[in-house]
């Protein structure tokens, strides 16, 4: 590119007379031009043009092989339309026709021989200045084009990002609205069942059979409502990042059987074949993991399988992955009870749980979103299946918390198989005494003669608990505050069992328990709370309680917990 002095310009001279070339070269060098190429053979001009990239060409017209007119025409195919390429014709042909023809096909100026050297110098300078200005203009245009293209690209990028953000916002709002509508439906529907059937129970003319049916529907609605509320609370804790893991020894087979027995009647009501398949070696009985999270995942997957399977079968089971076999385990250890615990010197394996159904299946697209919050396969008002739609997102969060993973295989219309795997590591058994609780137990016969203190400020809760323990108590005391509970324990040292509500006026159950433990470390204290949030059990145990039950309290569950503590 020419600089403002013009002296670095590339100058090409084409003339079949060497004497003319020598004169022009001398003139140019005298005026400080150093980049000069010359040729007497017009056949070399095109090659020189491509190689030398001249800023100006001094061209004779009358030459052998190619005339100057032909050379100008040849060069036009190499010169872009936006480039100013000065060609100064130097010729003895002074006719007007020659001048017009040369200028019309691309020459920029014309000098007749014999030429005046000062005129040649000035014309060369003028043409180079014009080329310099054109180059500056083109350079500025190029910079402007780059700026425009860059800004256009940025604008297009921002527009795309804005469109994506608007789409995501609209989609998020749509899903949240659908989710809230669904939650509203899942709360109002069982409420409607509770209120409706409870009002029908007040009719004196209903038969015993009808009364039993109404009570059954009330129980169904209550459990459905409780399930929805639990899902909402658990989902809120997941999004807030407040999940805490309580790792302890878990009997895999026992926990799986309990969940299986809980859901088997529901499967049978729908006419489904429901089976459980234990495939663990005898030497693997325990998993050191979060039993609450494990039970939650199993319950969610089985509940979904039953919900979305109208006919056929459901199979639930678990097995060892990654080549761990009973033979390989037993050859390592004689003890048959293995624990999952981090040990860098052992080979990490996995226990894989699976839930296979012959239900409606899930499309490939929906398989990518069903584990996300606010995402459901069908959020429309016409969807056929009840539920909050939070279950699988909760299951995935629990699996992640346990260090495992959850995944599925499914074909729409042909059923699904959900898998989730948890890490399992073989190591020597820790002493069983480390897992045993030291507590004073009463004999089975004494369970019916307990002195019980019920601590609760809610009259309905007190009434329900009294009915639940009516066949096992010898003496029953009621306290409506934590402070009163402490007084009763001081006044009645023979109290065997305290059913302690944890949220009360005056003094809560945590403080009351801590005060009681200062003078009585043998009385069994069972916490009862309506919070039912993960971490509450640990908090109550830390305060001094022996066990924990969440409201609404079922009579069978309460009696089972009492039995386990005596």
């Amino acid at each position: 590119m020419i600089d403002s002095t013009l002296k670095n310009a590339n100058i090409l001279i084409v003339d079949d007379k060497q004497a003319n070339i020598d004169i022009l070269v001398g003139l140019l060098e005298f005026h400080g031009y150093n980049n000069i190429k010359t040729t007497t053979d017009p056949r070399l001009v095109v090659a020189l043009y491509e190689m030398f990239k001249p800023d100006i060409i001094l061209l004779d017209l009358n030459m052998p092989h190619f005339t100057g007119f032909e050379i100008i025409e040849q060069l036009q195919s190499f010169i872009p339309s936006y480039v100013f390429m000065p060609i100064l014709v130097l010729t003895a042909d002074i006719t007007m026709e020659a001048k017009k023809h040369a200028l019309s096909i691309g020459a920029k100026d014309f000098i007749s021989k014999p030429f005046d050297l000062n005129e040649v110098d000035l014309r060369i300078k003028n043409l180079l200045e014009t080329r310099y200005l054109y180059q500056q203009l083109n350079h500025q245009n190029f910079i402007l084009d780059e700026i425009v293209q860059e800004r256009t690209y940025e604008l297009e990028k921002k527009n795309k990002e804005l469109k994506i953000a608007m789409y995501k916002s609209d989609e998020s709002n749509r899903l949240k609205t659908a989710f809230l509508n669904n939650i509203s439906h899942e709360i109002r529907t069982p409420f409607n069942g509770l209120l409706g059937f409870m009002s029908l129970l007040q009719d004196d003319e209903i038969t015993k059979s009808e009364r039993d049916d109404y009570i059954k529907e009330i129980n169904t609605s209550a459990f459905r409502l409780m399930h929805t509320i639990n899902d909402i609370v658990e989902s809120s804790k997941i999004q807030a990042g407040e999940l805490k893991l309580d790792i302890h020894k878990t009997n895999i087979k026992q926990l799986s059987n309990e969940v299986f027995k809980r859901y088997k009647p529901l499967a049978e009501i729908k006419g489904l074949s429901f089976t459980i398949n234990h495939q663990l070696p005898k030497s693997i009985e325990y998993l050191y993991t979060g039993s609450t999270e494990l039970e939650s995942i199993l319950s969610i997957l089985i509940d979904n399988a039953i919900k979305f399977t109208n006919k056929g079968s459901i199979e639930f089971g678990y097995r060892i992955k990654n080549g761990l076999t009973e033979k390989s385990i037993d050859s390592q250890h004689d003890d048959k009870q293995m624990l999952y615990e981090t040990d860098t010197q052992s080979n990490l394996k996995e226990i894989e749980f699976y839930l296979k159904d012959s239900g409606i299946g899930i499309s490939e697209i929906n398989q990518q979103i069903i584990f996300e919050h606010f995402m459901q396969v069908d959020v429309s008002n016409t969807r056929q299946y009840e539920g909050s739609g939070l279950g699988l997102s909760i299951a995935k969060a629990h699996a992640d918390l346990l260090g495992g993973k959850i995944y599925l295989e499914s074909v729409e219309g042909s059923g699904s198989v959900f898998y989730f795997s948890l890490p399992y590591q073989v190591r020597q058994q820790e002493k069983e005494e480390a897992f045993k609780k030291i507590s004073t137990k009463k004999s089975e016969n004494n369970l019916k003669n307990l002195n019980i203190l019920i601590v609760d400020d809610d009259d309905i809760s007190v009434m329900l608990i009294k009915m639940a323990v009516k066949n096992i108590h010898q003496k029953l005391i009621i306290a409506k505050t934590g402070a009163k509970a402490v007084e009763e324990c001081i006044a009645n040292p023979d109290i065997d069992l305290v059913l302690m509500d944890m949220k009360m006026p005056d003094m809560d159950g945590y403080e009351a328990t801590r005060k009681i433990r200062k003078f009585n470390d043998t009385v069994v204290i069972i916490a009862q709370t309506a919070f039912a949030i993960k971490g509450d059990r640990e908090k109550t145990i830390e305060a001094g309680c022996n066990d924990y039950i969440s409201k609404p309290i079922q009579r069978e569950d309460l009696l089972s917990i009492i039995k386990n503590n005596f």
Side-chain angles (χ1 to χ4, degrees):
M1 185 171 179
I2 307 175
D3 62 26
S4 59
T5 68
L6 308 179
K7 301 307 179 182
N8 68 327
N10 293 334
I11 301 175
L12 175 61
I13 303 174
V14 184
D15 198 310
D16 61 327
K17 301 291 190 294
Q18 185 64 45
N20 292 334
I21 291 176
D22 292 341
I23 293 172
L24 291 172
V25 169
L27 172 68
L28 293 170
E29 289 179 346
F30 176 78
H31 288 285
Y33 299 101
N34 297 311
N35 301 328
I36 304 169
K37 292 282 184 184
T38 66
T39 182
T40 57
D41 188 347
R43 293 172 294 183
L44 303 177
V45 173
V46 172
L48 283 170
Y49 177 84
E50 291 186 305
M51 178 186 69
F52 185 52
K53 305 297 181 185
D55 294 301
I56 188 171
I57 300 175
L58 308 183
L59 179 65
D60 187 23
L61 288 181
N62 298 318
M63 295 180 293
H65 306 298
F66 289 119
T67 67
F69 301 114
E70 293 172 323
I71 291 174
I72 293 172
E73 290 175 342
Q74 288 179 354
L75 291 175
Q76 294 310 307
S77 62
F78 297 92
I79 302 172
S81 59
Y82 60 87
V83 172
F84 178 77
M85 183 64 243
I87 299 177
L88 176 59
V89 174
L90 303 172
T91 180
D93 190 346
I94 59 174
T95 63
M96 185 60 67
E97 290 76 12
K99 184 176 182 179
K100 287 181 178 179
H101 183 51
L103 293 175
S104 68
I105 62 175
K108 303 303 182 187
D109 206 346
F110 196 101
I111 295 180
S112 301
K113 296 179 181 179
F115 44 74
D116 181 88
L117 291 179
N118 287 330
E119 181 183 3
V120 172
D121 174 52
L122 291 172
R123 289 184 183 272
I124 290 173
K125 183 178 180 181
N126 288 338
L127 289 173
L128 287 175
E129 284 180 346
T130 304
R131 178 169 171 81
Y132 170 74
L133 293 174
Y134 265 94
Q135 286 182 336
Q136 292 299 308
L137 179 61
N138 286 336
H139 180 64
Q140 293 299 321
N141 288 337
F142 177 77
I143 293 174
L144 288 173
D145 285 343
E146 282 192 331
I147 293 173
V148 170
Q149 289 178 8
E150 183 178 344
R151 291 183 178 178
T152 302
Y153 172 77
E154 290 296 329
L155 286 173
E156 290 176 349
K157 182 179 177 182
K158 288 181 179 179
N159 284 335
K160 288 180 180 179
E161 290 174 351
L162 182 60
K163 288 180 180 179
I164 292 172
M166 291 176 63
Y167 172 79
K168 287 183 176 179
S169 177
D170 291 342
E171 184 68 5
S172 177
N173 288 335
R174 184 186 73 82
L175 290 170
K176 287 180 180 179
T177 299
F179 171 76
L180 291 174
N181 289 337
N182 182 40
I183 288 296
S184 176
H185 170 79
E186 288 301 313
I187 291 176
R188 290 176 180 272
T189 299
F191 251 131
N192 183 62
L194 285 170
L195 297 176
F197 284 107
M198 282 192 292
S199 65
L200 291 176
L201 284 177
Q202 299 175 17
D203 188 348
D204 295 332
E205 297 182 0
I206 62 174
T207 65
K208 182 180 182 306
S209 176
E210 289 174 330
R211 183 181 300 275
D212 291 341
D213 288 340
Y214 296 163
I215 292 173
K216 180 180 177 182
E217 293 299 330
I218 288 172
N219 287 332
T220 299
S221 297
F223 278 110
R224 180 177 173 184
L225 179 62
M226 182 177 66
H227 184 71
T228 298
I229 293 173
N230 286 342
D231 279 354
I232 295 172
V233 172
E234 189 70 9
S235 180
S236 298
K237 290 183 71 66
I238 290 170
Q239 294 193 49
E242 295 179 359
L243 285 182
K244 295 181 180 179
L245 189 59
D246 176 25
I247 295 290
H248 56 275
K249 188 179 180 183
T250 302
N251 187 308
I252 307 172
K253 185 174 183 179
Q254 179 180 332
L255 186 146
S256 300
N257 282 335
E258 289 174 357
V259 177
F260 174 75
K261 290 177 182 178
R262 186 189 313 152
Y263 283 95
K264 187 171 178 60
L266 297 178
E268 291 175 343
I269 289 174
K270 294 188 69 174
L272 303 174
S273 170
F274 187 27
T275 56
I276 186 169
N277 188 5
H278 302 286
Q279 297 185 47
L280 291 184
K282 293 179 181 179
S283 52
I284 298 181
E285 186 177 356
Y286 294 98
L287 184 66
Y288 203 43
T289 188
S291 60
T292 302
E293 290 77 15
L294 177 56
E295 182 179 1
S296 171
I297 298 170
L298 294 176
S299 299
I300 288 169
L301 295 183
I302 295 174
D303 184 68
N304 275 355
I306 294 173
K307 183 188 302 181
F308 295 107
T309 304
N310 296 318
K311 62 179 180 178
S313 62
I314 298 172
E315 181 183 344
F316 158 51
Y318 48 89
R319 57 205 172 196
I320 291 292
K321 286 188 69 177
N322 299 341
L324 188 64
T325 64
E326 181 175 355
K327 182 178 180 181
S328 66
I329 295 171
D330 291 345
S331 64
Q332 296 179 48
H333 304 291
D334 293 331
D335 199 310
K336 301 300 183 181
Q337 295 182 346
M338 302 297 171
L339 303 176
Y340 156 69
E341 188 173 306
T342 303
D343 185 343
T344 57
Q345 297 179 351
S346 300
N347 292 324
L348 186 66
K349 310 298 179 182
E350 287 182 327
I351 292 182
E352 181 182 68
F353 297 81
Y354 68 91
L355 200 290
K356 181 178 181 181
D357 66 61
S358 59
I360 62 174
I362 303 168
S363 68
E364 186 173 350
I365 294 177
N366 286 324
Q367 290 179 34
Q368 308 302 317
I369 65 171
I370 58 173
F371 292 109
E372 298 179 17
H373 287 291
F374 302 118
M375 289 292 191
Q376 294 174 254
V377 171
D378 184 2
V379 294
S380 67
N381 291 329
T382 58
R383 64 192 194 92
Q384 305 176 43
Y385 305 96
E386 66 181 45
S388 65
L390 294 171
L392 288 177
S393 66
I394 294 173
K396 183 180 184 302
H398 285 167
D400 292 342
L401 191 66
L402 294 175
K405 54 187 177 181
I406 188 167
Y407 44 98
L408 76 151
E409 296 173 356
S410 184
V411 177
E412 190 170 11
S414 300
S416 306
V417 185
F418 279 83
Y419 303 91
F420 78 92
S421 56
L422 297 179
Y424 179 92
Q425 196 157 11
V426 178
R427 55 159 294 159
Q428 290 184 341
Q429 180 196 10
E430 304 243 353
K431 292 182 179 180
E432 187 65 22
E433 286 73 19
F435 298 101
K436 289 183 178 179
K437 291 183 179 179
I438 301 175
S439 58
T440 304
K441 306 292 182 179
K442 290 197 173 186
S443 67
E444 189 76 20
N445 292 332
N446 289 335
L447 189 59
K448 293 185 178 181
N449 298 292
L450 298 178
N451 297 324
I452 301 175
L453 170 62
I454 301 175
V455 188
D456 203 311
D457 63 325
D458 181 66
D459 292 336
I460 294 177
S461 295
V462 171
M463 185 185 304
L464 291 173
I465 294 173
K466 285 173 65 177
M467 294 297 295
V469 300
K470 66 179 181 179
N471 295 326
I472 65 171
H473 73 79
Q474 175 176 294
K475 180 170 65 174
L476 193 63
I477 305 171
I478 309 297
K480 293 194 174 184
T481 69
K484 184 64 175 175
V486 176
E487 293 176 5
E488 292 292 353
C489 286
I490 293 173
N492 299 276
D494 60 339
I495 290 177
D496 301 302
L497 171 65
V498 179
L499 299 174
M500 179 74 75
D501 185 28
M502 305 313 288
K503 184 174 176 59
M504 294 177 295
D506 180 28
M507 180 188 295
D508 64 24
Y510 299 103
E511 182 64 23
T513 299
R514 283 190 284 266
K515 288 184 177 295
I516 292 171
R517 284 301 181 213
K518 289 181 179 180
F519 59 85
N520 190 336
D521 59 359
T522 59
V523 63
V524 175
I525 303 177
I526 296 176
Q528 43 149 337
T529 176
F531 288 142
I533 296 176
K534 183 170 176 55
D536 282 347
R537 184 182 189 280
E538 293 75 16
K539 189 177 178 181
T540 61
I541 300 300
E542 183 181 350
C545 296
N546 297 80
D547 217 327
Y548 165 98
I549 188 170
S550 61
K551 296 179 180 180
I553 296 173
Q554 301 300 308
R555 181 175 183 273
E556 294 78 9
D557 294 339
L558 178 60
L559 293 178
S560 176
I561 290 175
I562 293 174
K563 181 179 178 181
N564 288 338
N565 284 275
F566 282 94

